[in-house]
Amino acid sequence: MRLTKTVGDYYLGSGALKNLDTLLKPLQETNNTGKVAYLIDHYFLKSDLKDKLPIRENDILYFIDTTDEPTTEQVDKIAEEFQREGEIIAAVGIGGGSTLDITKAIANLIPNGAKAEDYQGWDLVPGPGIFKIGIPTISGTGAEGSRTCVLMNHAKKLKLGHNSDYTVYNRLIMDPDLTASVPKDQYFYTGMDTFIHCIESLEGRYRHSFADALSDAALSLSRKIFLSDDMQSKENRESLMVASFMGGSAIGNSFVGVVHPFSAGLSMVLGLHHCIGNCIVMNVMDQFYPSQTQEFHRMLEKQSIKLPTGLCANLTDKQHQNLYDATIVHEKPLMNALGDDFKKTLTPSTVRRIFERM
Amino acid sequence: MRLTKTVGDYYLGSGALKNLDTLLKPLQETNNTGKVAYLIDHYFLKSDLKDKLPIRENDILYFIDTTDEPTTEQVDKIAEEFQREGEIIAAVGIGGGSTLDITKAIANLIPNGAKAEDYQGWDLVPGPGIFKIGIPTISGTGAEGSRTCVLMNHAKKLKLGHNSDYTVYNRLIMDPDLTASVPKDQYFYTGMDTFIHCIESLEGRYRHSFADALSDAALSLSRKIFLSDDMQSKENRESLMVASFMGGSAIGNSFVGVVHPFSAGLSMVLGLHHCIGNCIVMNVMDQFYPSQTQEFHRMLEKQSIKLPTGLCANLTDKQHQNLYDATIVHEKPLMNALGDDFKKTLTPSTVRRIFERM
């Protein structure tokens, strides 16, 4: 039996960002010359967000390019730059899932000194990272609550995180004011990540009573939000922060199912982002999750979201083979969803037919 | 805005108790002569529970008399005894709400040195207590998850806890095997504490999105458990541990309502225990919580629980006055439930009529 580790300490609510100073002060008082590294999604490069942060003269401000999914090379490059900056006492990640994951990886690497790929796997981080604070600016991935940080390793053709207790954020600040400017489509796609990993987990074979209760709670919030008239109302933005955090806290004790492997296929072969990939897959999951797929269609309709179509209409046989390989490699979630002989259900031709509907 | 602090690290599941050793070892390796204080509900005095604990020769084993609600005097007496034992590196509380609360109070007092009543209030504990591990043996009060420890102070006629971030347990072990021998009535009364504080909080005026989501989740688990054929099945016992922990984690960001003040009246004037008191009150709450009172009646019936009746049938006017005073003094929850002018609703004669139905 494993100790479950989640974030126990957080600020939540409109204006919560103001408390960042309160969290950093004790560290700065103990070590006056140590720097705080701010890792911020490049989306905020031209915004006034940085003026609202308690940045001191010597602190590090680093804008993260989140155009593509985070990679081990990217993390290594940032970690190397930071190593040259002298002592860092805290890492503050401000952004979506990519930024939050990169910050977790960096915080693991700085004191432990290895390469990002060395910790891809389970419980490989040898000791605590630097103190880290997560500040989500879009909700849904659950990265703020989870004990992993998903990184692409292109050399090894691997998408895997630092699954470790040390990867868990020390503190969170969940301020719905920060998600006010998220574009509608992105808000929906990312929010759906919570809905999707929760339904996958609850429909799976593996059970964990606390993760189930959290997933249930996150799901009922998601339903309320995405079937309401204004999914981006202030109240709904705060609810989605709660749902995302709850879903993320459940991840360490649950497994996803059929959607994530197919979505990972889309990421690996066609370069799609995680969240939109999930939605494109969820849209055609009637065989595996019939009622939830209908529910997803109702949410799409209610929020007037048009998913891209025809993605896999004109692919070569080779590309389809790659899609199949990149999907079927995710044995744990597929076994959770379909049982040990999942390959009997997911034959190459079945998988191809599913992709062709996307 | 206040930092929300809950227990982030826990073991959950049948057999989880075995991990106590894993939690204590790092502390013992750092300080080999320091003692671990085990505070155990006296209910287990003659059981084989202590044989399952990793007790070492010099550790302290203390059985707590939980016949009456915990008092400040009781806590001071134990703390004094412990002070004479030399250095204590951890406190392990094993029992129900009373034992878990006493352990939290002791852990606050040992390094900080004050009297229990000095910390009754909000944020009065000046610094971290000793490392503490909570191990519930009955579920419902939420004491394992909350940031308080409720103590009676008879001298000051006060029932108030150490509301403080430092009061939160560092680790929990939730092992449903430990609740297997709980007598049926006690299981029901205590479990209902979760149902009751969650409905009070959700029906109140004060809102907190995370506490609401936790309360909702705890409520739906409670409904499933107490409307099922065997509320004490292994699965239900584990679910009730989860519900209790979730409810307890919500307490710090929520307020109770009408039930708890009336129940506190019964405790103060007639000496009733908290959980049975809550049930006796909930039974006659149709004016304030109509649908939830009906739901409570269905649960009583389903589980064949017979509540004591006629408790307040033959009280003197003086006793009724005391009941009124001890109820109405709880302004925060009553304002949460009924608004600022709650005394207009809760006149002495109304309150008396409600008590007379118990």
Side-chain angles (χ1 to χ4, degrees):
Chain A
M1 188 179 296
R2 198 169 55 70
L3 180 76
T4 294
K5 197 169 175 63
T6 59
V7 187
D9 304 38
Y10 60 86
Y11 287 100
L12 167 68
S14 172
L17 183 62
K18 283 199 208 86
N19 297 288
L20 180 55
D21 199 28
T22 314
L23 292 180
L24 290 172
K25 216 158 236 168
L27 299 168
Q28 292 166 334
E29 280 169 4
T30 313
N31 184 336
N32 195 33
T33 56
K35 297 177 181 182
V36 174
Y38 292 87
L39 296 106
I40 306 178
D41 192 313
H42 67 162
Y43 172 83
F44 293 101
L45 196 51
K46 288 176 184 164
S47 85
D48 63 350
L49 175 66
K50 62 179 177 304
D51 305 329
K52 297 177 185 161
L53 304 173
I55 303 174
R56 298 169 313 166
E57 206 176 326
N58 288 315
D59 288 339
I60 304 165
L61 190 62
Y62 191 99
F63 287 94
I64 294 181
D65 185 346
T66 56
T67 314
D68 299 312
E69 302 265 88
T71 66
T72 47
E73 296 91 320
Q74 186 182 15
V75 167
D76 287 335
K77 190 175 152 287
I78 303 172
E80 253 171 59
E81 282 188 39
F82 284 11
Q83 301 284 13
R84 286 194 294 268
E85 291 276 357
E87 192 176 7
I88 299 176
I89 51 173
V92 180
I94 308 179
S98 297
T99 305
L100 294 177
D101 275 356
I102 288 174
T103 305
K104 293 198 268 185
I106 298 283
N108 281 340
L109 291 183
I110 285 180
N112 291 313
K115 293 279 174 197
E117 69 171 22
D118 297 339
Y119 299 155
Q120 283 188 299
W122 277 265
D123 302 310
L124 300 174
V125 185
I130 54 173
F131 190 87
K132 55 189 173 297
I133 301 169
I135 308 181
T137 61
I138 186 168
S139 306
T141 66
E144 66 278 31
S146 76
R147 70 188 289 277
T148 189
C149 52
V150 184
L151 303 174
M152 306 281 264
N153 182 334
H154 287 297
K156 291 192 180 170
K157 288 194 177 169
L158 205 66
K159 186 179 178 180
L160 190 60
H162 298 176
N163 293 275
S164 163
D165 283 350
Y166 298 125
T167 306
V168 177
Y169 272 107
N170 299 92
R171 303 282 185 277
L172 293 180
I173 294 180
M174 293 178 282
D175 184 341
D177 296 352
L178 297 174
T179 66
S181 67
V182 177
K184 180 183 140 193
D185 284 10
Q186 195 54 35
Y187 183 89
F188 182 88
Y189 298 147
T190 309
M192 275 301 120
D193 200 3
T194 296
F195 176 81
I196 292 170
H197 61 237
C198 289
I199 67 121
E200 286 180 289
S201 154
L202 289 169
E203 290 295 313
R205 283 157 168 71
Y206 178 80
R207 293 266 64 78
H208 184 280
S209 50
F210 201 84
D212 286 358
L214 287 169
S215 296
D216 261 329
L219 261 191
S220 71
L221 289 172
S222 303
R223 287 181 174 125
K224 221 178 290 176
I225 297 160
F226 291 103
L227 292 171
S228 74
D229 288 335
D230 180 6
M231 65 176 178
Q232 290 176 279
S233 72
K234 195 169 175 174
E235 193 191 331
N236 277 333
R237 280 186 281 110
E238 182 164 327
S239 289
L240 191 55
M241 290 204 134
V242 171
S244 176
F245 177 33
M246 287 181 130
S249 304
I251 287 173
N253 285 312
S254 65
F255 291 100
V256 289
V258 182
V259 185
H260 274 76
F262 274 83
S263 171
L266 291 178
S267 288
M268 285 309 268
V269 180
L270 303 179
L272 260 77
H273 259 244
H274 178 71
C275 295
I276 189 170
N278 278 349
C279 287
I280 289 167
V281 175
M282 189 68 216
N283 197 38
V284 298
M285 281 288 112
D286 29 291
Q287 180 182 348
F288 305 107
Y289 306 109
S291 68
Q292 296 88 344
T293 305
Q294 280 181 21
E295 214 172 0
F296 177 73
H297 292 160
R298 280 200 300 279
M299 292 172 177
L300 278 174
E301 198 183 354
K302 181 77 188 175
Q303 304 305 334
S304 312
I305 302 289
K306 292 260 169 292
L307 285 177
T309 52
L311 278 170
C312 303
N314 301 306
L315 299 185
T316 63
D317 287 350
K318 174 77 181 121
Q319 283 176 304
H320 270 294
Q321 183 62 45
N322 290 345
L323 279 173
Y324 175 78
D325 292 341
T327 302
I328 218 77
V329 72
H330 295 277
E331 297 197 339
K332 269 190 195 172
L334 292 172
M335 273 158 52
N336 179 46
L338 305 170
D340 289 353
D341 52 354
F342 67 89
K343 284 183 190 167
K344 282 190 188 157
T345 312
L346 291 181
T347 61
S349 64
T350 312
V351 169
R352 178 170 184 146
R353 269 200 306 279
I354 294 170
F355 274 117
E356 282 175 344
R357 291 176 58 206
M358 295 180 193
Chain B
M1 189 179 294
R2 198 169 55 69
L3 181 76
T4 294
K5 197 171 175 61
T6 59
V7 187
D9 304 37
Y10 61 85
Y11 287 100
L12 167 69
S14 172
L17 183 62
K18 284 199 207 86
N19 297 288
L20 180 55
D21 200 27
T22 315
L23 292 180
L24 291 172
K25 216 159 236 167
L27 299 169
Q28 292 167 334
E29 280 168 3
T30 312
N31 184 335
N32 196 33
T33 55
K35 297 176 180 182
V36 174
Y38 292 88
L39 295 106
I40 306 178
D41 192 312
H42 68 162
Y43 171 83
F44 292 103
L45 195 52
K46 288 177 183 163
S47 84
D48 63 349
L49 175 67
K50 62 180 178 304
D51 306 329
K52 296 177 186 161
L53 303 173
I55 303 174
R56 298 168 313 165
E57 207 174 325
N58 288 315
D59 287 340
I60 304 165
L61 191 62
Y62 191 99
F63 286 94
I64 294 181
D65 185 345
T66 56
T67 314
D68 299 312
E69 302 265 88
T71 66
T72 47
E73 297 91 319
Q74 186 183 15
V75 166
D76 286 335
K77 192 176 150 285
I78 303 173
E80 255 173 57
E81 282 188 40
F82 284 11
Q83 301 283 14
R84 286 194 294 268
E85 291 276 357
E87 193 177 7
I88 298 176
I89 51 173
V92 181
I94 309 179
S98 296
T99 304
L100 294 177
D101 274 356
I102 288 175
T103 305
K104 292 198 268 184
I106 298 283
N108 281 341
L109 291 183
I110 285 181
N112 292 312
K115 292 280 173 196
E117 69 171 22
D118 297 339
Y119 300 154
Q120 284 187 299
W122 278 265
D123 301 310
L124 300 174
V125 186
I130 54 173
F131 190 87
K132 54 190 174 296
I133 301 169
I135 307 181
T137 61
I138 185 167
S139 305
T141 67
E144 65 277 31
S146 76
R147 71 189 288 276
T148 189
C149 52
V150 184
L151 303 175
M152 305 281 264
N153 182 333
H154 287 296
K156 292 192 180 170
K157 288 195 177 169
L158 206 67
K159 186 178 178 179
L160 191 59
H162 298 175
N163 293 275
S164 162
D165 284 350
Y166 299 124
T167 305
V168 177
Y169 273 107
N170 300 93
R171 302 283 185 278
L172 294 180
I173 294 180
M174 293 178 282
D175 185 340
D177 296 352
L178 296 174
T179 65
S181 68
V182 176
K184 179 183 141 193
D185 284 11
Q186 195 55 34
Y187 182 89
F188 182 89
Y189 298 146
T190 310
M192 274 302 120
D193 200 3
T194 296
F195 176 81
I196 292 169
H197 60 239
C198 289
I199 66 120
E200 286 180 288
S201 153
L202 290 169
E203 291 295 315
R205 280 157 170 72
Y206 178 80
R207 294 266 64 79
H208 183 281
S209 52
F210 201 84
D212 286 358
L214 288 169
S215 296
D216 261 329
L219 261 189
S220 71
L221 289 171
S222 303
R223 288 181 173 123
K224 220 179 289 177
I225 297 160
F226 291 104
L227 292 171
S228 74
D229 288 335
D230 180 6
M231 65 176 177
Q232 290 178 280
S233 71
K234 195 169 176 175
E235 192 191 333
N236 276 334
R237 279 186 281 110
E238 182 165 327
S239 289
L240 192 55
M241 291 204 133
V242 172
S244 176
F245 177 34
M246 287 181 130
S249 303
I251 288 173
N253 286 312
S254 65
F255 291 99
V256 289
V258 183
V259 184
H260 275 74
F262 274 83
S263 172
L266 292 177
S267 289
M268 284 309 267
V269 180
L270 304 177
L272 260 78
H273 260 243
H274 178 71
C275 294
I276 189 169
N278 278 350
C279 286
I280 289 167
V281 176
M282 190 68 218
N283 197 38
V284 299
M285 281 288 112
D286 29 292
Q287 180 183 350
F288 306 105
Y289 306 109
S291 67
Q292 295 89 343
T293 305
Q294 281 181 21
E295 215 172 359
F296 177 73
H297 292 161
R298 281 200 299 279
M299 291 174 178
L300 278 174
E301 197 182 354
K302 179 79 190 174
Q303 305 304 334
S304 313
I305 302 288
K306 293 261 170 290
L307 286 177
T309 52
L311 278 171
C312 303
N314 302 305
L315 300 185
T316 62
D317 287 350
K318 174 80 182 119
Q319 283 176 306
H320 270 294
Q321 182 62 44
N322 291 344
L323 278 173
Y324 176 78
D325 292 341
T327 301
I328 218 78
V329 72
H330 296 275
E331 298 196 338
K332 269 191 195 173
L334 292 172
M335 272 158 52
N336 179 46
L338 305 170
D340 289 352
D341 52 354
F342 67 89
K343 284 183 190 166
K344 282 190 187 157
T345 312
L346 292 181
T347 61
S349 65
T350 312
V351 169
R352 179 170 183 147
R353 269 201 306 279
I354 293 169
F355 275 118
E356 282 175 344
R357 291 176 58 207
M358 295 179 193

XYZ file of all heavy atoms in Angstrom, chain A residues 60 94 101 110 134 174 185 228-229 233 244 246 248 280 290 300 338:
121
model
N 14.150 35.258 -10.809
C 14.202 34.832 -12.209
C 12.800 34.838 -12.797
O 11.873 34.273 -12.206
C 14.769 33.402 -12.308
C 16.136 33.335 -11.636
C 14.835 32.945 -13.752
C 16.588 31.908 -11.363
N 3.157 29.357 -13.163
C 1.914 30.092 -13.424
C 1.487 29.816 -14.858
O 2.107 30.303 -15.810
C 2.111 31.611 -13.226
C 2.748 31.886 -11.846
C 0.781 32.347 -13.350
C 3.014 33.355 -11.564
N 3.419 21.447 -15.195
C 4.226 20.230 -15.248
C 5.714 20.536 -15.387
O 6.552 19.931 -14.733
C 3.758 19.335 -16.405
C 2.585 18.447 -16.005
O 2.196 18.478 -14.811
O 2.069 17.694 -16.857
N 16.457 20.583 -9.966
C 17.442 21.555 -9.465
C 18.297 21.020 -8.316
O 19.521 21.036 -8.419
C 16.776 22.904 -9.118
C 16.462 23.628 -10.443
C 17.673 23.772 -8.252
C 15.808 24.970 -10.271
N 2.065 26.160 -7.173
C 1.372 26.081 -8.458
C 0.229 27.083 -8.528
O -0.555 27.198 -7.587
N -5.341 29.127 -6.138
C -6.357 28.970 -7.178
C -7.222 30.225 -7.203
O -8.055 30.426 -6.322
C -7.190 27.720 -6.885
C -6.352 26.447 -7.033
S -7.271 24.929 -6.651
C -7.264 24.971 -4.857
N -12.998 28.247 -26.648
C -12.717 26.871 -27.077
C -11.692 26.208 -26.165
O -11.839 25.059 -25.757
C -12.189 26.847 -28.515
C -13.309 27.065 -29.519
O -14.431 27.422 -29.095
O -13.066 26.884 -30.722
N -24.441 24.527 -18.224
C -25.054 25.805 -17.823
C -24.974 26.803 -18.976
O -24.270 26.573 -19.962
C -24.336 26.370 -16.598
O -23.080 26.884 -16.988
N -25.685 27.912 -18.853
C -25.718 28.890 -19.941
C -24.393 29.596 -20.131
O -24.009 29.921 -21.236
C -26.816 29.944 -19.656
C -28.203 29.355 -19.833
O -28.324 28.368 -20.596
O -29.149 29.857 -19.209
N -18.802 31.860 -16.354
C -19.172 32.819 -15.310
C -18.149 32.733 -14.182
O -17.433 31.736 -14.046
C -20.560 32.493 -14.761
O -20.503 31.315 -13.978
N -11.053 20.617 -11.217
C -9.760 20.234 -11.779
C -8.811 19.741 -10.681
O -8.140 18.712 -10.820
C -9.156 21.441 -12.506
O -7.871 21.146 -12.994
N -9.676 18.545 -7.722
C -10.170 17.262 -7.206
C -9.812 16.121 -8.168
O -9.336 15.070 -7.756
C -11.685 17.309 -7.020
C -12.132 18.145 -5.830
S -13.943 18.148 -5.648
C -14.097 17.724 -3.904
N -7.411 16.080 -10.304
C -5.961 15.891 -10.247
C -5.531 15.137 -8.999
O -4.599 14.322 -9.036
N -11.566 15.280 -29.239
C -11.787 14.667 -30.556
C -12.030 13.161 -30.401
O -12.867 12.578 -31.097
C -10.582 14.977 -31.484
C -10.620 16.460 -31.866
C -10.585 14.102 -32.724
C -9.347 16.966 -32.521
N -21.014 4.837 -23.875
C -22.185 5.341 -24.620
C -22.889 6.531 -23.963
O -23.047 7.582 -24.607
C -23.108 4.117 -24.709
C -22.538 3.070 -23.813
C -21.113 3.417 -23.548
N -21.076 19.887 -25.873
C -20.585 20.552 -27.089
C -21.657 21.472 -27.652
O -21.396 22.634 -27.988
C -20.265 19.506 -28.169
C -18.938 18.753 -28.146
C -18.940 17.691 -29.238
C -17.754 19.700 -28.325
N -10.688 -2.317 -20.514
C -11.216 -3.418 -21.332
C -10.778 -4.809 -20.873
O -11.201 -5.817 -21.454
C -10.783 -3.217 -22.803
C -11.151 -1.870 -23.441
C -10.455 -1.706 -24.786
C -12.663 -1.749 -23.604
